[in-house]
Amino acid sequence: MSLTIGFTNPGAVTIGGKTAATINAMNDAQADASGEALGVEKAESNEVRAGGAAQEGSQAKSGDNLSFTVKMLLKRMQELQKQLQEQQQRLAAAQAASYPTPEAKSQAVMAVQGEIAQTSGALLEVSAALLKEMSKGSSGGNLVNTTA
């Protein structure tokens, strides 16, 4: 969603104490991280692996039986939930604040609602990926990892 308002110095406008450039950089970083967490995008890696054939999408198992992918998805879900709470607080503040015109208030509230919708969508994507990832292990009926 894009909003254009004629300010004399748009670089001085801050949203939540952050400039537009900072917010754009954070959104880009968040999009990259969410793509990696969902497995949509692959991060460039210069890792050296030893000890057998490395398979695409292999999962390192730890003592708690959660794959690395599941742990990353759970971490991402917690981050998104925290972000959603912060956005809901900002929405409440935007609704309670006074604005010079009803249109200005409407636009401010709609902007935060749009952010909430995007975060909710990302949360749904992570939930679906987590469900898919967790169902991989239970679909075969094996509880023992037989790979060497």
Side-chain angles (χ1 to χ4, degrees), residues 124-146:
L124 287 173
E125 288 179 19
V126 171
S127 298
L130 182 61
L131 179 64
K132 182 179 176 184
E133 191 66 32
M134 292 183 81
S135 67
K136 281 183 183 178
S138 63
S139 63
N142 292 339
L143 297 176
V144 179
N145 185 359
T146 59

Side-chain angles (χ1 to χ4, degrees), residues 4 8-9 17 42 45 121 126 128-129 133-134 137:
T4 305
T8 57
N9 186 6
K42 290 177 63 177
S45 174
V126 171
E133 191 66 32
M134 292 183 81

Side-chain angles (χ1 to χ4, degrees), residues 24-47:
N24 288 338
M26 288 172 47
N27 286 341
D28 292 342
Q30 180 182 357
D32 293 343
S34 64
E36 289 175 18
L38 290 172
V40 177
E41 301 172 7
K42 290 177 63 177
E44 292 184 26
S45 174
N46 293 333
E47 292 180 0

